[in-house]
Amino acid sequence: MSHDEPLRLQFIDRSYGDAMTAVNRACPIGADFTFLFERGHDILTWPDCVYDDYRYAGMFRGDDLRGYFMFGVYRGWDGRQDGRCLYAGDARVHPDERGGRSTERAAVFVQSAIPASVEAGFALVKRGNVPADRVVTEQTTVPWKIYPLCGFEAANVLMLGRVRPPGAPQVRRAEARDLEAMAALFQDTVGRRAFAPRVTAERLARDVALRPDYGLDRHYLAWDGGRLVGCVVAWDMAALHRTVVLRYPPVLQWARRSWPLLQRLRRGVAPLPAPGEAFRALTLTRLAVRDRDPRVLRALLAQVINDHLGEGYHML
């Protein structure tokens, strides 16, 4: 592979999975610690589970894959109607290729494959990602008009012991007879937020059948006076998405050294992963809480934590 060869773009499929994994492993993420998202034995299982349609554009020099970029399409609220929404992202560019606006070129390249029915979509840009931020702010050749929408924060809730539930509402795991009520709650509470997916009983049943470790026993329902007031799915995504620790910063080394003491004091606390190992996490999704009641959210979180404490999970 030589940088004298021009960067070439083409659509790729799962036959390029090993090459995509190699690119992904060359792109660790630096935050409070250095980590890597691993995507299981088949890197495309995740988009298979989440999108109705998707395409990946590969960035090549000669025969070597040097990066990739995808868009996914799903049915959801596009700001005006239940339409087809687009997510643009899952972009990885080998560090040796950065600075050449390759992601922007890939975004232009995929435009021809986006269904004409798609009118709106979104992307996430990590704070501090200068190349991606430049694509969004300069918009020199990107074929879409881009506006800032909002900030996005992910919260990691450490599982450090049992949580006292608030007493009411009562929480139990879902059964097949609950699907219609779950879909109605989701649409009533979340369905018209920007880019919220369209959730029906049929879609819920499909996801239960398709997604690994996503059975009805992973669906938690909160009931108050016979009325469904909250639901959430506690999804173990280890088969298709894991957070692998590459390096702890010095400031967290004390936490690793003192963690065994915490384990002795609190039963069920999982040992911290060593570098090269993965955190075990439950990803909370399909969260719907009527009237945004914090009691309902606390009851759901408490039940999920208490049910799974001692099973080796580190966090939600």
Side-chain angles (χ1 to χ4, degrees), residues 242-309:
R242 303 186 310 146
T243 302
V244 177
V245 178
L246 299 181
R247 184 168 55 255
Y248 288 100
V251 72
L252 290 183
Q253 292 298 334
W254 70 268
R256 291 200 65 223
R257 289 193 295 268
S258 60
W259 204 258
L261 175 60
L262 178 63
Q263 289 181 269
R264 288 195 293 270
L265 295 174
R266 297 198 174 196
R267 296 179 61 184
V269 174
L272 284 178
E277 297 178 343
F279 281 104
R280 288 198 66 203
L282 292 168
T283 298
L284 301 187
T285 185
R286 294 277 166 81
L287 173 66
V289 173
R290 196 172 297 281
D291 300 323
R292 302 175 66 88
D293 187 339
R295 289 183 317 117
V296 175
L297 178 60
R298 181 175 178 82
L300 290 167
L301 293 179
Q303 192 68 49
V304 171
I305 290 172
N306 293 341
D307 279 1
H308 295 284
L309 194 69

Side-chain angles (χ1 to χ4, degrees), residues 105-186:
R105 290 178 56 191
V108 175
F109 177 80
V110 302
Q111 184 189 19
S112 62
I114 296 174
S117 58
V118 174
E119 296 186 2
F122 70 98
L124 300 175
V125 177
K126 181 180 177 293
R127 186 166 52 217
N129 186 337
V130 175
D133 188 62
R134 187 173 62 228
V135 172
V136 171
T137 55
E138 295 183 5
Q139 302 180 47
T140 55
T141 58
V142 174
W144 313 302
K145 185 63 177 175
I146 303 175
Y147 304 92
L149 178 64
C150 62
F152 178 89
E153 294 185 4
N156 295 318
V157 180
L158 294 177
M159 295 173 64
L160 299 179
R162 293 186 61 83
V163 178
R164 179 176 303 196
Q170 299 300 307
V171 178
R172 65 167 172 83
R173 304 199 194 202
E175 302 172 5
R177 60 188 171 92
D178 299 315
L179 292 176
E180 291 287 353
M182 292 161 59
L185 175 67
F186 192 90

Side-chain angles (χ1 to χ4, degrees), residues 7 9 59 68-69 89 91-93 97-98 100-109 131-132 135 142 144:
L7 195 69
L9 293 161
M59 310 167 196
Y68 56 83
F69 174 87
R92 300 286 188 276
V93 179
E97 300 289 346
R98 292 173 185 170
R101 307 185 81 97
S102 51
T103 301
E104 185 173 350
R105 290 178 56 191
V108 175
F109 177 80
V135 172
V142 174
W144 313 302

